[in-house]
Amino acid sequence: MWFWRILPKKGRGEHRILADNVQYDGWQDIWTRRPPAPGRYRMEYRDARRAIVRVEYVNVPDPRSGEKPYFTEGRARRPQRKIPPASPAWEPKAPPPAPPTNRSTPARSTQHGRTATATSAATYPPLRSPGPTPEGMIWRFRKNRTWQAFDRDLAIPEHYYRLWLHPGQVVLVYTESGTWPEYVSGHLKGGAPCLLPQDTRS
């Protein structure tokens, strides 16, 4: 058991010093045999390798008050890192996001064409399927820019559209506008709607 005394100090973060370190067996005797000074403490339950197993906070009152130590909830702390949702290990890793531009608003007049092209490139990344389509499945390019095998017999989810990636392979892509750069709306031979390259005739 590690007892950290919380120091009253301004600024962000929790400032503390090690006040005591006792064995877990009979650790409750610390309140009578070697009582810590009044204040707030962080109690860390550690295993034989000194890895933290559990953490609690306790307030130790002035012994003259006759009150016993009482446990409290830990300090509020915002998440320090944003971790994306887990994905299957067999999926290819998504490409890193495009670096943000320094401009808060798009340029006007002569720069309009370049701005539109840069926006399209960031919103619609180049497509490259993971490989041959699994049997009975179709590749789906998800909103988070990862590929997923999707059951061909299921209904196409909202905002997903068929796209002719290259001869012999049709994939599903996520696009709220229903468009894709350098692709036009068309139909497959069976009549199903599909986004086709501009130089391809349905």
Side-chain angles (χ1 to χ4, degrees), residues 33-60:
R33 299 297 182 91
R34 44 203 293 177
R40 181 171 171 79
Y41 291 83
R42 171 188 168 100
M43 296 171 45
E44 295 179 351
Y45 297 76
R46 295 178 176 251
D47 58 17
R49 296 177 298 178
R50 294 193 173 186
I52 297 177
V53 177
R54 183 159 60 99
V55 173
E56 287 185 315
Y57 286 81
V58 60
N59 287 345
V60 179

Side-chain angles (χ1 to χ4, degrees), residues 182-194:
E182 300 182 2
Y183 279 77
V184 296
S185 298
H187 295 82
L188 299 174
K189 292 183 178 180
C194 183

Side-chain angles (χ1 to χ4, degrees), residues 6-195:
I6 308 299
L7 302 178
K9 186 176 180 180
K10 294 182 179 180
R12 301 181 60 181
E14 183 179 80
H15 305 276
R16 57 182 185 258
I17 59 173
L18 186 63
D20 207 343
N21 180 15
V22 298
Q23 295 181 357
Y24 180 78
D25 186 20
W27 71 265
Q28 295 87 349
D29 293 336
I30 192 174
W31 309 124
T32 56
R33 299 297 182 91
R34 44 203 293 177
R40 181 171 171 79
Y41 291 83
R42 171 188 168 100
M43 296 171 45
E44 295 179 351
Y45 297 76
R46 295 178 176 251
D47 58 17
R49 296 177 298 178
R50 294 193 173 186
I52 297 177
V53 177
R54 183 159 60 99
V55 173
E56 287 185 315
Y57 286 81
V58 60
N59 287 345
V60 179
D62 191 315
R64 293 172 295 183
S65 66
E67 298 181 3
K68 295 182 179 180
Y70 57 95
F71 295 89
T72 63
E73 296 293 334
R75 62 190 177 93
R77 185 177 184 182
R78 295 179 299 174
Q80 300 299 307
R81 300 179 180 87
K82 292 184 179 180
I83 306 299
S87 58
W90 51 265
E91 283 189 359
K93 192 173 183 180
T101 177
N102 293 330
R103 292 183 176 177
S104 58
T105 56
R108 297 181 180 178
S109 65
T110 58
Q111 299 296 327
H112 177 73
R114 294 183 180 179
T115 303
T117 302
T119 303
S120 298
T123 308
Y124 303 94
L127 293 177
R128 182 179 299 174
S129 69
T133 307
E135 184 177 357
M137 310 291 281
I138 184 173
W139 286 119
R140 176 170 69 161
F141 192 65
R142 304 172 62 190
K143 183 179 181 181
N144 62 0
R145 301 183 180 182
T146 60
W147 289 98
Q148 179 188 37
F150 185 78
D151 193 334
R152 189 183 298 270
D153 296 331
L154 296 179
I156 298 178
E158 184 180 8
H159 299 311
Y160 281 91
Y161 297 84
R162 296 183 185 90
L163 183 142
W164 184 273
L165 186 56
H166 58 74
Q169 185 175 30
V170 175
V171 299
L172 296 179
V173 294
Y174 179 89
T175 166
E176 295 183 0
S177 64
T179 62
W180 201 270
E182 300 182 2
Y183 279 77
V184 296
S185 298
H187 295 82
L188 299 174
K189 292 183 178 180
C194 183
L195 297 175

